[in-house]
Amino acid sequence: AHPPRPGAPAVLLVHGFGAFGEQWRGQVRALTRAGYQVYAPTFPGYGRAEKPAVSYSAELWRDFLRDFVLQVVGRPVVVAGNSIGGYIGAMLAGTHPTLCSGLVLLNSAGQIEPGWAPPAAGAESEKARAPPPRLVIEGLSRGLFLFLERSIPYQLKRLYPGDPTNADEWLADEIYRAACDPGALGVFQSAFYLPRPKPLNWYVADQWGGPTLCLQGVLDPLNDARGRAASLKEACTNVELQLVEAGHCPHDEAPAAVNAALLAFLEGLSLDGPGTAPAAEALLAAG
């Protein structure tokens, strides 16, 4: 066992869509050995977590992280998230800044819209998008869900283009097992009912404004990862950018490079920076 180093922040690792906490397998041991307390929970609806029939949303998962920090960690965290986990982590930092002492985004989801401001209450752009008819959602989601289930090994190797070593049988089996759980399809279908999300840069710069590291896998096949990273840095003066030769999940594909960057960022955090209020004060402010 490696006891926590005095004064070292706690680290909260947040997985992406279709994944689970154990996908941070390359970080938990390395960060723990360096003296950090590390937490890698799994969102409700994913992995081996329960999948109740509720309305899944970014706000639900943000509130899950908030409650996890308050009830389990008990002090501010450096939150690091991949894909949709990066966006949810940015939401947590933006809406509950006293619970965070740093933010790390790894190929984060979320639109980048410089200059965006929230519309007035009740404005058309603030309302939820009208979803397609339920029968259409049912047919589309079942078809897409079936396709993804049958192509998990292929999709994983596509997402790990530089080094597919960790796109392994264990990861594919865990994702498939979770997809077979009762309620898994309902989690997938919830995406059709979500309102238009606020831009990532608004949470990162306008709401949070604290120390932020963007670790971007530039081989990501899902988007122009290099261009997105540059746009985020341009829109957010508080973002430090490091590019990684990896795909959509750089933490699992290139753990050595990601761990080195994470440790350097953690070491560089100022003890009197934002979000470092004593735990009791942070809990009262967030509660």
Side-chain angles (χ1 to χ4, degrees):
H2 300 269
R5 209 174 54 197
V11 181
L12 180 65
L13 304 173
V14 187
H15 65 82
F17 184 82
F20 39 86
E22 291 86 350
Q23 196 197 21
W24 295 95
R25 50 188 163 174
Q27 284 67 52
V28 173
R29 181 177 298 178
L31 296 179
T32 301
R33 283 179 172 173
Y36 296 94
Q37 280 189 313
V38 183
Y39 302 85
T42 296
F43 281 135
Y46 290 98
R48 293 179 179 265
E50 292 184 3
K51 301 168 180 63
V54 299
S55 296
Y56 291 92
S57 67
E59 288 74 20
L60 180 145
W61 290 315
R62 177 204 59 197
D63 292 348
F64 167 81
L65 293 183
R66 177 202 63 198
D67 294 346
F68 188 90
V69 174
L70 291 172
Q71 298 174 19
V72 178
V73 184
R75 62 192 180 103
V77 298
V78 175
V79 57
N82 172 232
S83 191
I84 194 174
Y87 183 76
I88 305 301
M91 288 181 69
L92 176 72
T95 54
H96 302 290
T98 57
L99 296 185
C100 299
S101 53
L103 174 64
V104 183
L105 305 174
L106 298 97
N107 290 67
S108 179
Q111 295 297 313
I112 301 169
E113 300 179 28
W116 184 89
E124 187 64 31
S125 58
E126 190 73 358
K127 296 177 181 177
R129 297 170 294 186
R134 181 164 183 80
L135 284 177
V136 174
I137 292 176
E138 191 75 19
L140 282 174
S141 58
R142 286 188 180 277
L144 185 56
F145 204 64
L146 183 61
F147 167 75
L148 292 174
E149 276 187 346
R150 293 180 174 178
S151 62
I152 289 171
Y154 166 77
Q155 296 297 338
L156 283 176
K157 286 181 170 55
R158 179 171 170 261
L159 294 176
Y160 291 52
D163 182 358
T165 301
N166 277 352
D168 52 21
E169 184 178 358
W170 170 81
L171 184 59
D173 286 348
E174 281 296 304
I175 293 172
Y176 179 76
R177 192 213 61 76
C180 295
D181 279 350
L185 182 61
V187 181
F188 189 77
Q189 289 175 340
S190 65
F192 289 94
Y193 298 95
L194 297 178
R196 184 174 183 267
K198 296 178 175 67
L200 174 66
N201 56 284
W202 183 74
Y203 282 115
V204 172
D206 298 282
Q207 298 299 104
W208 161 237
T212 303
L213 172 63
C214 175
L215 285 175
Q216 193 81 338
V218 295
L219 305 181
D220 193 337
L222 302 183
N223 52 52
D224 174 16
R226 194 182 297 268
R228 275 181 56 82
S231 296
L232 183 65
K233 181 170 176 56
E234 185 176 352
C236 306
T237 58
N238 58 318
V239 167
E240 171 192 347
L241 174 61
Q242 291 195 41
L243 304 180
V244 182
E245 289 296 314
H248 190 64
C249 304
H251 59 295
D252 201 27
E253 183 180 349
V258 167
N259 290 347
L262 278 175
L263 288 169
F265 178 70
L266 292 169
E267 291 292 337
L269 287 178
S270 171
L271 289 178
D272 59 356
T276 54
E281 181 183 336
L283 300 187
L284 288 172

